[in-house]
Amino acid sequence: LLYCRLYCEEAKDPKRRSCQTVLAEALDIVVRSFAPILPHLAEEVFQYIPYKKDSEGVFRTGWINASSAWKKPGIEEAIEGACAMRDSFLGSISGKNALEYEVIIVIEPGLLFELMEALQAEETSSVSQLNEIMMASQTTLLSELPKETPSDANIIKGTFLINLEGGDICEQSSYKVIARPIAKAKCPRCRRYTAESSSTPCPRCLQVLAAGKGST
């Protein structure tokens, strides 16, 4: 997840910038958390943070003050649900390289499907948040099994309990995960199997490279 966003996206891409923001916020909270018991280490780390505009020190800038904007209803449940499906997928390929597979997730219309749509608006994507969590090269989100699904396909079934607003909204949802080897070649830049040829970058990487040339 971090590799693709930090090293494969364009420098000013919102995905890359949002990842940097999360890492910066996490570092700030961790440093303030251990400051009372490791004051010298915390102060040294704080002084070397490159994006801090003040130099008053970790003890003069207050305690942890996380913004309420980080708390968005449904996001935690969406991530937990996607992680549960990822665990089902990884368990089905028994230690093999997840990037060599494409994943099909089937969820009946309902709350869980809506939460997954928040992570992947397109039906099929290799760059969505859902696909990044799944760790595959491509993820497809459907509300019913594809008609061309082979009879011997390995379909992993699971359930996930959604608990929103302190228990006011509860829904047990079922899902199916199908993993199958992807037919595309490995991109020489991002290392995902999303290219038409092993000697040519994938469409996403070609777009990023073209944007980089245009800005120089």
Side-chain angles (χ1 to χ4, degrees):
L1 178 59
L2 293 179
Y3 168 78
C4 267
R5 289 201 172 199
L6 291 176
Y7 300 109
C8 297
E9 298 291 353
E10 189 180 352
K12 295 182 179 180
D13 187 279
K15 289 183 180 180
R16 183 175 185 273
R17 297 290 293 174
S18 66
C19 184
Q20 290 177 311
T21 299
V22 170
L23 291 175
E25 185 74 8
L27 176 61
D28 184 82
I29 291 175
V30 168
V31 171
R32 294 180 192 278
S33 296
F34 67 66
I37 56 175
L38 295 170
H40 298 293
L41 176 60
E43 184 62 35
E44 183 176 2
V45 173
F46 192 82
Q47 292 300 329
Y48 276 94
I49 294 178
Y51 48 82
K52 288 293 181 185
K53 295 183 179 180
D54 56 68
S55 57
E56 294 182 8
V58 67
F59 293 100
R60 293 180 177 273
T61 53
W63 186 235
I64 298 170
N65 185 26
S67 172
S68 59
W70 291 100
K71 187 64 176 179
K72 294 184 178 181
I75 292 298
E76 182 178 353
E77 288 73 17
I79 299 298
E80 288 179 350
C83 287
M85 296 175 200
R86 178 195 62 196
D87 292 344
S88 297
F89 159 55
L90 295 178
S92 72
I93 62 174
S94 61
K96 295 178 181 177
N97 184 1
L99 289 175
E100 295 179 0
Y101 290 82
E102 61 174 322
V103 177
I104 300 174
I105 299 173
V106 182
I107 309 171
E108 292 184 358
L111 187 53
L112 182 58
F113 187 85
E114 293 174 4
L115 290 175
M116 292 305 105
E117 279 190 315
L119 301 177
Q120 179 169 303
E122 310 89 348
E123 182 177 284
T124 299
S125 177
S126 60
V127 296
S128 69
Q129 295 180 72
L130 179 58
N131 187 66
E132 289 176 340
I133 294 171
M134 295 303 293
M135 299 170 62
S137 279
Q138 181 175 285
T139 297
T140 299
L141 179 62
L142 302 173
S143 58
E144 59 182 15
L145 280 173
K147 295 180 179 179
E148 66 275 10
T149 303
S151 58
D152 60 345
N154 183 20
I155 302 176
I156 305 97
K157 298 180 180 180
T159 59
F160 182 74
L161 177 62
I162 301 170
N163 193 333
L164 292 173
E165 299 183 8
D168 292 338
I169 301 176
C170 287
E171 184 176 300
Q172 182 87 14
S173 300
S174 60
Y175 62 84
K176 298 181 180 72
V177 176
I178 304 172
R180 58 190 187 190
I182 195 163
K184 295 186 178 180
K186 181 192 286 188
C187 171
R189 182 174 180 271
C190 70
R191 318 304 290 176
R192 287 186 173 181
Y193 289 78
T194 51
E196 298 301 324
S197 165
S198 59
S199 60
T200 305
C202 67
R204 188 274 301 270
C205 286
L206 286 174
Q207 184 177 355
V208 172
L209 292 171
K213 290 180 179 178
S215 60
T216 57

